[in-house]
Amino acid sequence: MAGLKLSGIRKSFGKVEVIKGIDLDIEDGEFVVFVGPSGCGKSTLLRLIAGLEDITAGELQIDGKVVNQVEPKERGIAMVFQSYAIFPHMSVRENMGFGLTIRRENKAQIKERVDEAARMLQMEDLLDRRPDQLSGGQRQRVAIGRAVVRSPDVFLFDEPLSNLDAALRMNTRMEISELHKRLGTTMIYVTHDQVEAMTLADKIVVLKDGEVQQYGPPMDLYHYPANRFVAEFIGSPPMNFLTAAVEQQADGQVFASADSIGRVSLPEFNFVKPATMHLGLRPQYISLGEGPDSHHRFEATVGVTERLGSETLINLKAKDGTKVTAVLPEDVELQADQTVIFNFDVNKLRVFAI
Amino acid sequence: MSMHTMSLGQQSRLLGRYLLLMFIACIFIFPIVFMMMSSLKPDFQLLSDTASIRAFLPVGDISLDNYRAAFDRAPIGLFIFNSIFITATTLLLSLFLASVAAFSFVFIDWRGKSFVLAIVVATYILPFETVAVPLLLLVNKLPWLSSEGVTWGWLNSYQVQIIPWVVRALEIFLFVQYFKDLPKDLVEAARVDGASWFQIYYKIVMPLSGPVIATVAILKFLEMYNNQFIWPTMVVQEEGYRPIMVGLQYFFQLNTPWGEVMAYLTIITLPVLVFYLALQRAFIASIASTGVKG
Ligand SMILES: Nc1ncnc2c1ncn2[C@@H]1O[C@H](COP(=O)(O)OP(=O)(O)OP(=O)(O)O)[C@@H](O)[C@H]1O
Ligand SMILES: [Mg+2]
């Protein structure tokens, strides 16, 4: 059990800086997900925490102690690798007991703890197999089991699901979530999949080019993305962006004028200087028709319709040609090239600097 | 329908391939058969047989006389013991030290390691002959701790035939190449799980290195058992420490007794065959996986 504190963490490989000053407080027992596009430094940050890479600058604390110079094995962490990193010359049981065997724990106790972890992960029948007799999903279990057996203070996962097929990925995702509930241990989880991030995390860290874009609970990031990057990255399909001139009226009210959707009031905004900005609108908040009076309305031409079963994605073209995606109910019927009225709640609009 | 039906063309191509392989096998086997058959024949028949197929057949005046004479001429058992002892000791030390060095080059971060590795590998281009004389001067002045206390100079000993050969660039290079291809995650997983570097070496890396261990073992065996001639001739004058190849000189005199030479060669080849057969499967696997040809 341990919390973590990262202060001004930096990492350079040669002259290239890939982690550019990261501050994070991770509380004991939290499930934190690092998410971001490929190459943004997620794995590097995780490896810095694990002690597999040296920290170039800044301070890392685990459970209140500075561990910059502490060997990985002394940090109280266990790590699950993307490749699973199962030792091919050992049986599943030997793999899972490896950490304890290395520490010369007594044999009976090792057996007991391996059995217990295997029960928890429902893999008792795999214990005597060799790794080459396992499927991808089973290897994944062994890798998680090896971490569980050590009962670490912090679990680190580096894209543990990326080699599994879609169905297995969803199952395992839920199992990891359950594991967290049961153990209550701090977990740090790296992924580039925003669905995994949203479903697993107590808090999400969105990374881009080695910098934190935003850190907070999933729904905060969804509703109040700190910038356009986060807005685009979290939520699917991605948020719509409309260019608009934002200005303040004499009476203090703020309005945005966009060629695509006309003039909209921004009730949540106390604006100062007029500027061109981006309005962000999630596809889920657009509905068909006039809607309630408080809603803003706009006209658009219907493009391609994609039926996903539970919902329908419609690609729209606003008056000025801006492309807008809307998520509508499954039974919606719209003809291509038809011009239709849509509406949305102005309180759902987000405003971003360009 | 049988899965094994082959067209006539496929069959004849397969036949052709087998014939070619048999032909190549014969090229390698004939000298050995020749050696063994000749060791059973008196010299005059041996020389006249070379003109015909009889050279490869146990025909004519067959006996073990050559073997008896060879054992009378030279202390063959001693030479074989010396060679096997020198080879085995060098082999074990070499496997251990070269793999430890390579482990450090590949898995541990330390300043200047690529520079050091480059220098180590560069020494491979020096033929042994170029360093032989400086090495002789060096070993002549080195101390050794024995039951008689500290002695100076290594001439006429086992260690002078072992230590200079223990670690050479090729073995380190082979291990380095092999280790580089091992998944780094395995080493990192072991580190996170609490293994020390030495535990990672012998619990993770070495158990996965069978093929390269076999390759290095065979190359080292051949180098030490078959090819030790110049250096022992330079540093060993006493019969008691001589290896087999120096022993061969006992047979090359004014009238070379060819039958005895063949008998001697047959005897000293036996350990090679035993060693090779023992490691055969691992060796073939290693050639297939590392692409190194001996
Ligand atoms: N050992 C290294 N030496 C040099 N550069 C490195 C090293 N490891 C990572 N990098 C660089 O650091 C950057 C971040 O890499 P990292 O592996 O952390 O990305 P990531 O966010 O995990 O990406 P992915 O989603 O593809 O796994 C990349 O530009 C990468 O090329
Ligand atoms: Mg990564």
Side-chain angles (χ1 to χ4, degrees):
Chain A
M1 293 276 142
L4 288 91
K5 190 173 163 66
L6 286 71
S7 325
I9 297 282
R10 288 172 184 277
K11 173 68 185 176
S12 306
F13 292 108
K15 288 204 179 71
V16 189
E17 189 167 62
V18 296
I19 299 291
K20 301 169 182 164
I22 287 192
D23 299 295
L24 280 181
D25 260 316
I26 296 173
E27 273 164 43
D28 186 13
E30 254 177 353
F31 198 125
V32 173
V33 174
F34 296 169
V35 68
S38 185
C40 69
K42 309 177 292 286
S43 299
T44 305
L45 188 55
L46 197 72
R47 294 165 56 81
L48 288 171
I49 294 173
L52 293 171
E53 304 279 0
D54 289 331
I55 296 171
T56 308
E59 192 181 86
L60 170 66
Q61 293 181 15
I62 298 180
D63 202 15
K65 285 182 281 289
V66 178
V67 295
N68 285 41
Q69 302 299 331
V70 175
E71 280 285 300
K73 58 178 174 180
E74 309 295 342
R75 294 191 184 192
I77 48 155
M79 185 155 168
V80 177
F81 292 77
Q82 182 171 4
S83 64
Y84 312 147
I86 293 171
F87 307 127
H89 56 298
M90 298 180 191
S91 70
V92 169
R93 180 180 282 287
E94 287 166 335
N95 261 286
M96 287 177 63
F98 183 78
L100 301 181
T101 312
I102 285 290
R103 274 156 216 235
R104 303 223 159 73
E105 304 258 342
N106 99 30
K107 286 223 174 75
Q109 200 183 342
I110 296 177
K111 184 173 183 314
E112 191 180 310
R113 282 171 66 180
V114 170
D115 286 337
E116 186 191 323
R119 239 190 334 273
M120 191 189 296
L121 295 166
Q122 290 157 24
M123 49 177 288
E124 288 142 297
D125 50 330
L126 301 181
L127 284 176
D128 295 316
R129 298 228 199 138
R130 300 236 134 219
D132 56 6
Q133 302 166 328
L134 300 176
S135 69
Q138 292 169 330
R139 277 170 212 229
Q140 159 63 255
R141 254 158 220 271
V142 177
I144 294 177
R146 191 168 66 191
V148 169
V149 167
R150 292 201 24 230
S151 29
D153 299 327
V154 181
F155 281 91
L156 306 178
F157 296 89
D158 192 353
E159 306 209 21
L161 308 185
S162 57
N163 293 329
L164 303 180
D165 65 50
L168 204 52
R169 199 178 303 173
M170 202 163 109
N171 266 333
T172 316
R173 199 171 74 205
M174 287 178 183
E175 282 175 16
I176 290 178
S177 191
E178 239 164 61
L179 191 70
H180 179 243
K181 283 210 189 73
R182 175 160 358 177
L183 300 174
T185 314
T186 312
M187 293 190 175
I188 303 179
Y189 184 106
V190 163
T191 180
H192 60 258
D193 178 2
Q194 61 99 12
V195 178
E196 272 172 39
M198 291 296 287
T199 49
L200 285 168
D202 294 325
K203 284 190 187 153
I204 295 180
V205 179
V206 180
L207 288 168
K208 182 190 163 203
D209 295 338
E211 288 175 298
V212 175
Q213 302 296 305
Q214 193 170 3
Y215 177 38
M219 288 321 279
D220 284 7
L221 270 62
Y222 184 79
H223 288 306
Y224 304 101
N227 56 36
R228 207 184 136 156
F229 179 82
V230 177
E232 260 179 314
F233 202 83
I234 302 287
S236 160
M239 195 180 250
N240 295 302
F241 294 100
L242 309 164
T243 310
V246 178
E247 65 200 337
Q248 195 161 12
Q249 284 185 337
D251 63 1
Q253 275 209 56
V254 177
F255 276 87
S257 319
D259 294 340
S260 45
I261 56 169
R263 200 170 138 85
V264 206
S265 79
L266 299 174
E268 286 183 5
F269 230 69
N270 307 319
F271 206 71
V272 207
K273 271 189 222 151
T276 305
M277 312 212 49
H278 280 139
L279 302 181
L281 179 59
R282 293 218 177 266
Q284 286 81 358
Y285 297 144
I286 300 177
S287 5
L288 193 57
E290 307 245 320
D293 281 348
S294 62
H295 281 200
H296 181 79
R297 290 157 200 147
F298 68 100
E299 256 181 20
T301 315
V302 175
V304 179
T305 300
E306 293 179 293
R307 297 200 180 274
L308 301 185
S310 60
E311 58 194 21
T312 304
L313 301 190
I314 310 253
N315 294 296
L316 305 174
K317 225 184 233 169
K319 243 186 272 163
D320 68 335
T322 307
K323 288 198 174 114
V324 174
T325 312
V327 174
L328 298 178
E330 66 198 63
D331 53 2
V332 72
E333 287 294 345
L334 290 173
Q335 303 298 317
D337 296 331
Q338 197 181 347
T339 299
V340 190
I341 293 196
F342 296 91
N343 72 86
F344 60 87
D345 179 356
V346 288
N347 290 310
K348 302 288 191 190
L349 269 183
R350 296 290 164 253
V351 180
F352 302 100
I354 290 185
Chain B
M1 278 293 292
S2 161
M3 295 291 288
H4 299 287
T5 29
M6 268 193 257
S7 75
L8 208 62
Q10 277 175 317
Q11 277 180 3
S12 59
R13 227 173 307 148
L14 200 62
L15 187 70
R17 203 177 298 165
Y18 279 130
L19 285 176
L20 182 69
L21 286 176
M22 276 165 65
F23 178 70
I24 293 174
C26 286
I27 292 179
F28 284 102
I29 288 171
F30 274 160
I32 297 176
V33 175
F34 173 77
M35 175 184 81
M36 289 179 170
M37 293 309 145
S38 299
S39 73
L40 301 171
K41 299 172 184 174
D43 277 7
F44 64 88
Q45 189 203 330
L46 185 162
L47 294 175
S48 65
D49 277 359
T50 51
S52 68
I53 188 73
R54 291 165 60 88
F56 303 105
L57 301 173
V59 291
D61 187 3
I62 297 299
S63 76
L64 290 176
D65 288 351
N66 287 328
Y67 287 86
R68 244 166 260 134
F71 274 102
D72 284 344
R73 188 184 296 267
I76 297 178
L78 175 69
F79 293 160
I80 289 186
F81 170 81
N82 286 346
S83 269
I84 289 181
F85 177 73
I86 291 165
T87 302
T89 314
T90 315
L91 187 64
L92 294 177
L93 289 174
S94 175
L95 284 176
F96 176 67
L97 291 177
S99 60
V100 166
F103 182 89
S104 159
F105 280 126
V106 174
F107 297 114
I108 302 178
D109 278 330
W110 42 279
R111 199 173 284 273
K113 74 174 179 181
S114 43
F115 179 69
V116 175
L117 180 62
I119 289 191
V120 168
V121 172
T123 64
Y124 185 56
I125 59 172
L126 292 179
F128 177 73
E129 286 76 0
T130 54
V131 295
V133 171
L135 191 60
L136 177 65
L137 298 177
L138 177 68
V139 296
N140 199 17
K141 297 215 169 64
L142 290 176
W144 188 257
L145 192 62
S146 67
S147 52
E148 295 133 47
V150 177
T151 56
W152 294 84
W154 288 3
L155 300 189
N156 290 315
S157 66
Y158 286 124
Q159 75 263 24
V160 75
Q161 298 180 72
I162 292 172
I163 291 170
W165 298 92
V166 165
V167 181
R168 314 206 59 215
L170 179 64
E171 292 101 66
I172 296 183
F173 180 72
L174 289 176
F175 273 113
V176 164
Q177 287 306 315
Y178 186 87
F179 288 172
K180 272 188 186 163
D181 289 341
L182 287 177
K184 254 195 144 95
D185 283 358
L186 295 180
V187 171
E188 293 183 340
R191 267 186 85 191
V192 170
D193 272 1
S196 65
W197 285 119
F198 195 68
Q199 284 169 322
I200 294 173
Y201 166 79
Y202 80 85
K203 289 201 158 159
I204 308 292
V205 171
M206 288 312 266
L208 296 174
S209 299
V212 67
I213 292 172
T215 308
V216 169
I218 298 234
L219 294 178
K220 203 71 196 171
F221 180 91
L222 297 179
E223 177 185 38
M224 294 311 295
Y225 187 82
N226 282 358
N227 291 337
Q228 288 296 320
F229 179 71
I230 297 175
W231 180 244
T233 314
M234 288 168 69
V235 296
V236 175
Q237 272 81 45
E238 279 176 27
E239 187 171 81
Y241 295 107
R242 277 183 191 152
I244 48 168
M245 282 304 149
V246 179
L248 192 58
Q249 280 175 316
Y250 283 53
F251 298 86
F252 286 104
Q253 285 153 10
L254 270 183
N255 283 314
T256 307
W258 287 110
E260 287 179 43
V261 170
M262 294 301 159
Y264 184 72
L265 291 176
T266 303
I267 296 169
I268 66 175
T269 304
L270 289 180
V272 183
L273 291 180
V274 170
F275 185 78
Y276 180 74
L277 290 178
L279 280 183
Q280 190 184 30
R281 287 185 55 187
F283 187 50
I284 289 169
S286 82
I287 287 182
S289 74
T290 61
V292 174
K293 286 163 208 86

PDB file of all heavy atoms in Angstrom, chain B residues 15-26:
ATOM      1  N   LEU B  15      14.491 -37.235 -55.072  1.00  0.00           N
ATOM      2  CA  LEU B  15      15.547 -38.227 -55.256  1.00  0.00           C
ATOM      3  C   LEU B  15      16.868 -37.520 -55.555  1.00  0.00           C
ATOM      4  O   LEU B  15      17.911 -37.820 -54.966  1.00  0.00           O
ATOM      5  CB  LEU B  15      15.167 -39.167 -56.406  1.00  0.00           C
ATOM      6  CG  LEU B  15      16.117 -40.349 -56.600  1.00  0.00           C
ATOM      7  CD1 LEU B  15      15.970 -41.324 -55.438  1.00  0.00           C
ATOM      8  CD2 LEU B  15      15.841 -41.052 -57.934  1.00  0.00           C
ATOM      9  N   GLY B  16      16.800 -36.549 -56.449  1.00  0.00           N
ATOM     10  CA  GLY B  16      18.009 -35.797 -56.813  1.00  0.00           C
ATOM     11  C   GLY B  16      18.617 -35.133 -55.590  1.00  0.00           C
ATOM     12  O   GLY B  16      19.833 -35.166 -55.380  1.00  0.00           O
ATOM     13  N   ARG B  17      17.734 -34.577 -54.760  1.00  0.00           N
ATOM     14  CA  ARG B  17      18.245 -33.884 -53.579  1.00  0.00           C
ATOM     15  C   ARG B  17      18.953 -34.857 -52.640  1.00  0.00           C
ATOM     16  O   ARG B  17      20.022 -34.580 -52.123  1.00  0.00           O
ATOM     17  CB  ARG B  17      17.069 -33.206 -52.863  1.00  0.00           C
ATOM     18  CG  ARG B  17      17.517 -32.050 -52.004  1.00  0.00           C
ATOM     19  CD  ARG B  17      16.345 -31.367 -51.366  1.00  0.00           C
ATOM     20  NE  ARG B  17      15.428 -30.780 -52.350  1.00  0.00           N
ATOM     21  CZ  ARG B  17      14.191 -30.382 -52.042  1.00  0.00           C
ATOM     22  NH1 ARG B  17      13.737 -30.540 -50.805  1.00  0.00           N
ATOM     23  NH2 ARG B  17      13.416 -29.854 -52.942  1.00  0.00           N
ATOM     24  N   TYR B  18      18.344 -36.058 -52.452  1.00  0.00           N
ATOM     25  CA  TYR B  18      18.984 -37.039 -51.574  1.00  0.00           C
ATOM     26  C   TYR B  18      20.328 -37.474 -52.120  1.00  0.00           C
ATOM     27  O   TYR B  18      21.303 -37.624 -51.390  1.00  0.00           O
ATOM     28  CB  TYR B  18      18.069 -38.252 -51.376  1.00  0.00           C
ATOM     29  CG  TYR B  18      16.993 -38.014 -50.341  1.00  0.00           C
ATOM     30  CD1 TYR B  18      15.660 -38.291 -50.593  1.00  0.00           C
ATOM     31  CD2 TYR B  18      17.341 -37.500 -49.089  1.00  0.00           C
ATOM     32  CE1 TYR B  18      14.676 -38.061 -49.651  1.00  0.00           C
ATOM     33  CE2 TYR B  18      16.372 -37.262 -48.134  1.00  0.00           C
ATOM     34  CZ  TYR B  18      15.037 -37.543 -48.419  1.00  0.00           C
ATOM     35  OH  TYR B  18      14.079 -37.314 -47.482  1.00  0.00           O
ATOM     36  N   LEU B  19      20.388 -37.697 -53.434  1.00  0.00           N
ATOM     37  CA  LEU B  19      21.647 -38.132 -54.037  1.00  0.00           C
ATOM     38  C   LEU B  19      22.727 -37.082 -53.804  1.00  0.00           C
ATOM     39  O   LEU B  19      23.858 -37.398 -53.446  1.00  0.00           O
ATOM     40  CB  LEU B  19      21.452 -38.379 -55.537  1.00  0.00           C
ATOM     41  CG  LEU B  19      20.705 -39.677 -55.858  1.00  0.00           C
ATOM     42  CD1 LEU B  19      20.475 -39.802 -57.362  1.00  0.00           C
ATOM     43  CD2 LEU B  19      21.489 -40.880 -55.343  1.00  0.00           C
ATOM     44  N   LEU B  20      22.354 -35.821 -53.981  1.00  0.00           N
ATOM     45  CA  LEU B  20      23.326 -34.748 -53.790  1.00  0.00           C
ATOM     46  C   LEU B  20      23.825 -34.735 -52.344  1.00  0.00           C
ATOM     47  O   LEU B  20      25.035 -34.658 -52.084  1.00  0.00           O
ATOM     48  CB  LEU B  20      22.683 -33.399 -54.131  1.00  0.00           C
ATOM     49  CG  LEU B  20      23.626 -32.208 -54.018  1.00  0.00           C
ATOM     50  CD1 LEU B  20      24.688 -32.268 -55.104  1.00  0.00           C
ATOM     51  CD2 LEU B  20      22.858 -30.890 -54.115  1.00  0.00           C
ATOM     52  N   LEU B  21      22.883 -34.873 -51.402  1.00  0.00           N
ATOM     53  CA  LEU B  21      23.266 -34.866 -49.987  1.00  0.00           C
ATOM     54  C   LEU B  21      24.183 -36.046 -49.670  1.00  0.00           C
ATOM     55  O   LEU B  21      25.166 -35.908 -48.945  1.00  0.00           O
ATOM     56  CB  LEU B  21      22.024 -34.918 -49.094  1.00  0.00           C
ATOM     57  CG  LEU B  21      21.228 -33.619 -49.025  1.00  0.00           C
ATOM     58  CD1 LEU B  21      19.969 -33.822 -48.194  1.00  0.00           C
ATOM     59  CD2 LEU B  21      22.077 -32.518 -48.418  1.00  0.00           C
ATOM     60  N   MET B  22      23.861 -37.223 -50.257  1.00  0.00           N
ATOM     61  CA  MET B  22      24.703 -38.389 -50.016  1.00  0.00           C
ATOM     62  C   MET B  22      26.104 -38.161 -50.566  1.00  0.00           C
ATOM     63  O   MET B  22      27.105 -38.512 -49.937  1.00  0.00           O
ATOM     64  CB  MET B  22      24.072 -39.631 -50.661  1.00  0.00           C
ATOM     65  CG  MET B  22      23.032 -40.280 -49.763  1.00  0.00           C
ATOM     66  SD  MET B  22      21.998 -41.453 -50.662  1.00  0.00           S
ATOM     67  CE  MET B  22      23.207 -42.681 -51.102  1.00  0.00           C
ATOM     68  N   PHE B  23      26.177 -37.532 -51.717  1.00  0.00           N
ATOM     69  CA  PHE B  23      27.470 -37.256 -52.333  1.00  0.00           C
ATOM     70  C   PHE B  23      28.294 -36.346 -51.415  1.00  0.00           C
ATOM     71  O   PHE B  23      29.470 -36.599 -51.151  1.00  0.00           O
ATOM     72  CB  PHE B  23      27.245 -36.595 -53.700  1.00  0.00           C
ATOM     73  CG  PHE B  23      28.515 -36.220 -54.394  1.00  0.00           C
ATOM     74  CD1 PHE B  23      29.368 -37.204 -54.908  1.00  0.00           C
ATOM     75  CD2 PHE B  23      28.872 -34.891 -54.530  1.00  0.00           C
ATOM     76  CE1 PHE B  23      30.545 -36.852 -55.536  1.00  0.00           C
ATOM     77  CE2 PHE B  23      30.050 -34.535 -55.161  1.00  0.00           C
ATOM     78  CZ  PHE B  23      30.892 -35.517 -55.670  1.00  0.00           C
ATOM     79  N   ILE B  24      27.634 -35.295 -50.908  1.00  0.00           N
ATOM     80  CA  ILE B  24      28.356 -34.362 -50.034  1.00  0.00           C
ATOM     81  C   ILE B  24      28.808 -35.071 -48.753  1.00  0.00           C
ATOM     82  O   ILE B  24      29.944 -34.924 -48.306  1.00  0.00           O
ATOM     83  CB  ILE B  24      27.452 -33.153 -49.690  1.00  0.00           C
ATOM     84  CG1 ILE B  24      27.192 -32.339 -50.960  1.00  0.00           C
ATOM     85  CG2 ILE B  24      28.111 -32.282 -48.631  1.00  0.00           C
ATOM     86  CD1 ILE B  24      26.202 -31.222 -50.785  1.00  0.00           C
ATOM     87  N   ALA B  25      27.902 -35.917 -48.211  1.00  0.00           N
ATOM     88  CA  ALA B  25      28.255 -36.653 -46.998  1.00  0.00           C
ATOM     89  C   ALA B  25      29.481 -37.517 -47.253  1.00  0.00           C
ATOM     90  O   ALA B  25      30.395 -37.597 -46.432  1.00  0.00           O
ATOM     91  CB  ALA B  25      27.077 -37.504 -46.551  1.00  0.00           C
ATOM     92  N   CYS B  26      29.527 -38.147 -48.435  1.00  0.00           N
ATOM     93  CA  CYS B  26      30.659 -39.015 -48.759  1.00  0.00           C
ATOM     94  C   CYS B  26      31.967 -38.227 -48.772  1.00  0.00           C
ATOM     95  O   CYS B  26      32.997 -38.692 -48.288  1.00  0.00           O
ATOM     96  CB  CYS B  26      30.450 -39.681 -50.115  1.00  0.00           C
ATOM     97  SG  CYS B  26      29.206 -40.974 -50.023  1.00  0.00           S
TER      98      CYS B  26
END
